[in-house]
Amino acid sequence: DNALLQRMTTAPESLRRVISRAIGQTGFDQYWERFDRLDHQTRRSAGKAMMKLFPDAITRLTRRVSTGPVADRVKAMQIAHELELAESLKTVLLQGCSDASPKVRSKAVQVLGQLGQMPSEAVMDRALTDTDSRVRANAIEVIAGTAVVAVSGDAVVLADGRTLLTALTIGAAETRA
């Protein structure tokens, strides 16, 4: 694989595509396996290099986000987040917002927040009224543009000191009124 990688830098485009397909799975799998042990900067630089060397890496990552064990799907979304790939994975991330697993829903909302524009109103409405407090907190982070530092019952404390009531609290108060 190392000889092929060295050849890839000077090869014509057509040969680079052949080499990329030949070693792409191995390169992606190596990055995947090492990801959790790498520091943030190394994750980012190695991931960016992998994306350049292996054009189908985004397809592989998309597949990992949408199928497989929950832990792997969350890990794939973390990779997408750290490599700033939310736009490329927007469709599958939006689907993740409705997943059965609260861990997947929470991470999908968080990564979608990276887009710089609010996900659809329907997606945010579902996230704000989610039964899982972390999903609700991530939705509030996206809307407020700041980190949630604590979730206490029905209140969320933001990094900037503001305390917000979650949509479930507001809904319960409206029901009682």
Side-chain angles (χ1 to χ4, degrees), residues 2 14 22 26 31 40-42 53-54 61 66 78 80 82-83 100 111 115 123 129 134 143 156:
N2 284 340
S14 60
T26 302
Y31 178 74
H40 179 71
Q41 186 57 40
T42 305
L53 287 172
F54 311 119
L61 189 59
S66 60
Q78 182 63 34
E82 292 191 26
L83 298 180
V111 176
L115 290 174
V123 168
T129 58
R134 187 67 242 171
I143 292 169
V156 176

Side-chain angles (χ1 to χ4, degrees), residues 50 57 83 106 111 114 127 131 136 172-173:
M50 176 196 60
L83 298 180
S106 176
V111 176
Q114 185 182 65
T131 56
R136 292 190 310 269

Side-chain angles (χ1 to χ4, degrees), residues 37-131:
R37 296 186 306 266
L38 301 173
D39 63 84
H40 179 71
Q41 186 57 40
T42 305
R43 283 177 174 185
R44 189 170 168 77
S45 58
K48 295 283 186 183
M50 176 196 60
M51 297 305 287
K52 285 181 184 176
L53 287 172
F54 311 119
D56 70 335
I58 193 75
T59 303
R60 296 173 195 279
L61 189 59
T62 300
R63 195 173 314 123
R64 297 270 178 125
V65 167
S66 60
T67 61
V70 168
D72 285 354
R73 295 173 66 205
V74 170
K75 179 178 177 177
M77 284 187 254
Q78 182 63 34
I79 291 170
H81 185 73
E82 292 191 26
L83 298 180
E84 299 175 353
L85 297 170
E87 187 63 47
S88 299
L89 298 173
K90 186 176 180 179
T91 301
V92 71
L93 289 170
L94 286 168
Q95 292 168 353
C97 290
S98 300
D99 196 82
S101 167
K103 290 180 181 180
V104 171
R105 292 193 311 272
S106 176
K107 183 53 95 171
V109 167
Q110 179 189 35
V111 176
L112 282 168
Q114 185 182 65
L115 290 174
Q117 63 187 34
M118 191 88 59
S120 76
E121 186 176 328
V123 168
M124 293 310 294
D125 187 48
R126 272 195 319 270
L128 286 168
T129 58
D130 199 280
T131 56

Side-chain angles (χ1 to χ4, degrees), residues 146-169:
T146 187
V148 170
V149 293
V151 177
S152 175
D154 294 325
V156 176
V157 179
L158 301 176
D160 64 7
R162 292 180 290 161
T163 300
L164 302 173
L165 295 177
T166 65
L168 286 178
T169 304

